[in-house]
Amino acid sequence: MSELQKIKKSKPSFVPEPSAILEDFRIAMISRHASLMGRKEVFMGKAKFGIFGDGKELAQIAMARAFQLGDFRSGYYRDQTFMMAMGELNVKQYFAQLYAYTNVEEEPASAGRLMNGHFATRSLNEDGSWKDLTKMNNSAADISPTAAQMPKLLGLAYASKLFRVNKGMKKLKQFSVNGNEVAWGTIGNASTSEGMFFESINAAGVLQVPMVISIWDDEYGISVPKEFHTTKGSISEALAGFQRTEEKPGFEIIKVKGWNYEALLQAFQEAGELARTEHVPVLIHVEEMTQPQGHSTSGSHERYKSKERLDWEKDWDCIKKFREYILENELATADALDKIEAEAKAHVKKEKEAAWSDFSGEIKKELNEAVALIKSAAKDSTRKVVLDQLADELKKTINPIRKDVVSTVRKALLLLRFDSNSGKNELKAWYEKQNELNHDRYSSHLYSQSEWSVLKIDEVPAEFNEKSAVVDGREVLQAFFDNKLENDPRFFAFGEDVGKIGDVNQAFAGLQAKHGEWRVSDTSIRECTIIGQGIGAALRGLRPIAEIQYLDYLLYGLQMLSDDLASLQYRTKGGQKAPLIVRTRGHRLEGVWHAGSPMGMILSTLRGMVVCVPRDMTQAAGMYNTLLKSDEPAIVVECLNGYRLKERLPENIGEFTVPLGKPEILREGTDLTIVTYGSMCRIVMDAAQELSEIGIEVEVIDVQTLLPFDVHGIIGESVKKTNRVIFADEDVPGGASAFMLQQVIEGQKVFRYLDSDPQTLPAKAHRPAYSSDGDYFSKPSIEDVVEKVYSMMHEVNPKTFPAL
C-alpha cells in the first residue's frame, strides 16, 4: 500500500491540540495580511516590486510542523508563511526586505540585496566560521530563476546520505546527526516544466536521498494554465512512473488538497518521517491552491483568469476553508477568530510601520546631512542659487532613496569644482565616507572576507629532493587526492566516470576501491545536478570536488554556478558559504566540443568564484591544497594534454600550496612580456627559446589564476621593465586576453610605460577544428607567438629585425 493510499484510508493522527490549531490560524492571518499590505506598499511607491505567498499559507504551515532542527529548506519566493511558522522570519524583517533595507540585523536573509520573498538563515558566525547547523532551522539562500532551487536541494539531501554511510563523518557533529536531516524543497507547479526539476527528480530517485519536494499547484504559471505546462495537466500523474514499488526503489508520491488542514498535516508528517528514517525521496503534489493577488505586483490576474475561476478561488481560499474547519469542529467561535484576525492585522500594520520608520529614517538622516552640507557649501559659492535649488529639491523628495541623496551630492560637487572653501571640503569628505558605507552596503562579500580567504592562505613551496619520483602528471594528482581522502573526512569527489575507472584521465584511479564508493563516486550524465549536488553538500560543511568531464560541458551547469554558487556569499552578505571546487579540463585537445577554452564566458558569469588555470598537475595539486584550506568556491581547469607529461612528485604532496592571485615568472627577459596561462605556457616557453636564438629575450609570466588576478602587480612591474606586452591565450578574440589586457593596462596603470601598442594573441573566433591540423590552425602555435613578437620588435628596430 502506498503512502497516498494510507492517507486516504487512515484517520489523521497528526492533528494538534486546539490551541496549536488556533496558533496556526494566527500565523496564517499574519502572513496573509503581510501579503495584502505588502502589495499596497509597492503601489504607494515605497517598494520597487512585490511577490507574495498568499494562497499557500496552510500547506506551508503543515510543512513547518514536520520540519525539525538540522533540516534544510531549498525553496522559492512564496514561502513566507513557512519561514514565519518556523520563527525564522518576523513581520518587520519581511517588510525590511520589501523596502531593500541594507541593515543585515534588520534584514538577515540578504541585507537588502534581493527582492522580497528570498529567504535564508545565517549559517555562519560573524567571522565566517560555521555555526552548529544541527541546532538550527536551516534555509538555503533562495534564488529567483525558476526551478534552480532543485539541484541544490538534491545536494542538501545527498549530504545526509553521506553523513549516514561514511563512518569518518560521524565526528562532524556540528553538521549532522547521523544523516537524519531532511531536505525540504518547494516549487511552483509551472516551474516543474524546467529541465532542472526533472534532472533533480531523476537523480534523487537514483541516489535515494532524504528529500521532500512540495509542489504548490495553483494551476497557472503567471498567465499560462496547467494544460500548457504539464503532460496530463498534473505533475504527479506525469511522474507516476517514479512511484516506488516493493520490487524497485523510487519516489513516494502523495497528492493532497491545499485547503485540507488535516490531510496536509498528515501528508507532510508521513513524508518527513519516511524520508528521515528510510532515506526515501518524497514528492507532495499540493493541488487546488489559490493565488488571491495574482502572480506579482507587475499585473492583475483578472486579465487571464475567467470569472468562474476567480469565484472558485475565493470560495476555496485555504484560509477561508481553514476558518470553516475550525468552526465546524467547534474549536473556536466566529468572534474569537475575528479577534485573532484583527490582532494579526494590527500586528502586521505596526511592524510594517516600524520597518518603514527604520528604513526611511536612516535615509532621511543622510538626506538632512547632505542638504545641510550643500547649503553650507553654497554660502560662499558663485553657484549659490543653483546649489540651494538642488538642496531644496532634495529636501522635498517624497519617499527618498539613497540614490536621490548621493546623486544630488555628486551634482553639487560638480558645481563646486572651481570653489575652494571649507564647506566644499566637508561635503566632499561626507561623500567619500558614504562611498565607503555604500561599498559595504551594496558591493561587499563578493569573495570571502574571512580569515579563510584564498588571499590569506600561506604559501608552502613544493619540496623535492634527488629521490623525488618522476611520474605522469595524472599520478601527481592521484597522490594528492589519495592524501586528502585519507586525512580529511569532509573531502569527497564525484562526477561522470570518476568512481570505478578513476575519471577519464585516471587521476582517481584505484581510489574508489581504496576509500569507498561514497568518497569517490560515479554519477550519471547530468552536469546541472552534479553542480547542485556539490553546492548543497558544501552548504552543509562538506568539501566536495564536483567534476565536469570537459570544460565545454560546463554550459550545462553554468546557470547553477552563476546564479547560485558564485553569488552566494554576496547575496547573503557573508551569511552562507559553499566552498565547492569544480574540477574540469580543457584547452588543447581535438575538436569543437573537446578543446574548449571559453574563459571569457567564465570570467563574465562566475564573479564570486576563484578561477584557477594551472599549467601542469603539480601546480594544480598545490591550488587544490590552497582551495581546501580556504572557504571560497572555485573552478580548476586542468590541461587536457598534461596528464601523460612527466613531472616530479612533491615530497609534501598534501601540504604544499600555490598562492592564488600571484603570477609566476617562468622566464626572465628584457625585450617584451608575454602574459599567458594553462596549456599556452608550454607554447610560449618554446617560442621564447626560439626567439632567444635570434636575439629577442622574452619575459614569460603565468598568471596562475584569472580570478583573483595579479593582486600584487607583478605583471605591471614586468611591463615597466620591458615596455612591451602581449596577452596570449586560447580563448576567442576579446575573451580572456582582453580581460587580462584591461586588468593590466587600466588596473595597473602601465600605459605610460609602453613603447609599443599592447597586443593580444587569442585563438580564432570559431571553435577548434578537429585533428592536429585543426588544432594548429585554430589556436595559437609556437610560430604564431614567434611571428607576433618578431613583428613588434621589427617596428622597434627594423634594421636588426627586418620584415619577414
Side-chain angles (χ1 to χ4, degrees), residues 422-446:
S422 60
K424 172 188 173 180
N425 293 335
E426 289 175 4
L427 181 63
K428 186 176 180 181
W430 183 90
Y431 171 61
E432 290 172 350
K433 178 63 176 177
Q434 288 300 308
N435 280 342
E436 294 177 9
L437 294 172
N438 288 331
H439 174 82
D440 177 69
R441 289 165 178 151
Y442 303 104
S443 301
S444 64
H445 292 86
L446 178 60

Side-chain angles (χ1 to χ4, degrees), residues 19 31 38 70 301 326 477 504 559 679 688 699 740 748 764 781:
S19 60
S31 181
H301 60 159
I326 293 171
L477 288 176
V504 291
Q559 192 265 337
S679 292
E699 185 144 296
M740 293 190 292
Q748 299 185 18
K764 296 293 194 296
S781 64

